[in-house]
Amino acid sequence: MPSPSNVSQRRRHPARPKASAREARPENLREYAAAWSDYELLDAGGGRKLERWGEVVTIRPEINADADALWPLAQWRELAHWEFVETSSTQGRWQKLRADAPESWSIAYRQLHFNLKLTQFKHLGLFPEQQANWRFIAERVVPGARILNLFAYTGAASLVARAAGADVTHVDSVRQMLDWANANQTLSGLADIKWVLEDALKFAGRELKRGKRYDGIIMDPPAWGLGANGEKWKLEHQLPRLAETARGLLQPGGFLILNTYSPKVGLQELAAAGLHFGQGQSETRQLWARSQTGNDLYYGNLLRAVV
């Protein structure tokens, strides 16, 4: 079964989640990503979000920003360097709002550093809402732990685990993403992450047959996409297999982090996938961030499990 062969398939402009994915948004199921010195969600609303990345401020579309923004759009544009303007449901272009706006730059998170750049899919190379998972990884990983990061993108979770002393295997099917992640490793003063250019689920299946085991598995699979040969990938169809494979690869005491951004995968579906780990061995959460202006922004659902 393929993982998407093109970055355009990764978490691109998702449809509005159906009721099972958004659910009632109970406060006790929310986990909030925190801002840090080089990143801040400034405001959100009207289908957009205003973010600060170091010294650079961007405006990007956000389907879940369905409340009213606290600041007027004119104020946003006075602050921003770039605004992403959609030209279709999957692509768009960046509009420069300041003459000195850079097209690439870097920011820091603790001791780590990430290269950012404009892409035609509105992304910049980092998903800051994942800070909630970076905290979890930093708390759980010990030196020498074996960590497998699947659908690993530009490597933020891999770097957090490596900085904690883990032996990290980073798997992605897009060469550009591996190169980007490797550049982030170098920029962060780290080394020795194992890079694997391959279909994530196929690699995990072979690792299972080889009898390999890991102390932690991180998955950030796309909602849907196409493989190298045009095969269709839909997360809702692959979720049970992903969970079962992860369970087989984990050592006793090992953990799984599985993010979902699919409108067809809600907390109930994640809870069912968590049953592969046994009763009471998994938890489902909603991933959120709060803007400087106090607006809450929903980012998707999350499964964490232990063996």
Side-chain angles (χ1 to χ4, degrees):
M1 207 40 78
S3 54
S5 62
N6 190 294
V7 70
S8 68
Q9 312 303 326
R10 301 186 60 85
R11 277 206 258 175
R12 53 192 192 179
H13 310 249
R16 183 176 301 280
K18 65 178 184 179
S20 66
R22 292 168 68 90
E23 314 201 74
R25 299 182 172 183
E27 291 284 348
N28 65 329
L29 292 180
R30 297 185 182 188
E31 182 158 350
Y32 283 83
W36 67 92
S37 59
D38 263 8
Y39 175 80
E40 188 175 17
L41 177 64
L42 298 173
D43 196 9
R48 302 178 180 91
K49 56 187 174 182
L50 180 71
E51 300 164 282
R52 178 182 61 81
W53 313 78
E55 300 299 322
V56 179
V57 177
T58 63
I59 301 171
R60 297 193 291 165
E62 176 53 65
I63 191 69
N64 288 315
D66 47 13
D68 292 330
L70 270 292
W71 297 341
L73 184 57
Q75 183 178 347
W76 282 28
R77 288 179 172 148
E78 287 180 4
L79 293 170
H81 295 76
W82 293 98
E83 180 175 4
F84 188 86
V85 179
E86 292 179 304
T87 56
S88 72
S89 62
T90 59
Q91 295 187 24
R93 60 179 178 82
W94 287 95
Q95 179 179 347
K96 181 181 285 192
L97 301 180
R98 293 194 186 185
D100 61 347
E103 295 188 8
S104 62
W105 66 102
S106 64
I107 65 170
Y109 173 74
R110 298 184 179 178
Q111 76 274 40
L112 304 176
H113 297 269
F114 304 107
N115 293 297
L116 305 182
K117 60 185 177 182
L118 309 179
T119 75
Q120 62 180 316
F121 310 112
K122 82 175 181 178
H123 302 307
L124 298 170
L126 192 68
F127 296 112
E129 70 275 10
Q130 290 303 309
Q131 191 271 349
N133 286 323
W134 303 342
R135 293 194 310 253
F136 180 88
I137 294 166
E139 291 168 359
R140 290 296 298 263
V141 169
V142 298
R146 300 185 72 240
I147 302 298
L148 176 63
N149 190 4
L150 301 171
F151 313 95
Y153 195 52
T154 59
S158 296
L159 267 61
V160 171
R162 184 71 189 110
D167 177 7
V168 179
T169 300
H170 173 114
V171 185
D172 201 282
S173 63
V174 182
R175 167 61 69 183
Q176 177 189 4
M177 296 301 104
L178 289 185
D179 292 343
W180 198 335
N182 195 10
N184 286 337
Q185 175 184 236
T186 301
L187 189 65
S188 298
L190 298 173
D192 299 327
I193 292 176
K194 180 182 178 182
W195 309 108
V196 178
L197 178 65
E198 195 169 345
D199 179 291
L201 190 49
K202 286 182 180 178
F203 177 82
R206 281 198 292 275
E207 289 286 87
L208 188 61
K209 290 180 180 179
R210 289 189 283 254
K212 296 291 184 66
R213 296 294 182 268
Y214 291 89
D215 300 296
I217 297 176
I218 305 159
M219 293 189 187
D220 196 3
W224 67 278
L226 299 175
N229 298 314
E231 311 98 319
K232 291 183 179 180
W233 163 280
K234 292 185 178 180
L235 178 57
E236 64 270 23
H237 297 162
Q238 298 306 318
L239 186 60
R241 186 180 173 196
L242 286 169
E244 183 179 10
T245 302
R247 174 63 183 85
L249 284 170
L250 284 171
Q251 300 267 31
F255 68 86
L256 168 69
I257 299 172
L258 198 161
N259 293 289
T260 66
Y261 296 83
S262 171
K264 296 185 179 179
V265 176
L267 295 179
Q268 291 182 352
E269 289 83 359
L270 284 177
L275 293 177
H276 288 280
F277 295 83
Q279 194 72 31
Q281 295 299 103
S282 65
E283 65 171 0
T284 57
R285 311 286 290 170
Q286 292 178 331
L287 195 56
W288 290 75
R290 179 163 291 162
S291 73
Q292 179 186 340
T293 57
N295 274 349
D296 286 353
L297 186 57
Y298 166 80
Y299 276 99
N301 296 322
L302 171 66
L303 170 69
R304 294 197 187 114
V306 296
V307 176

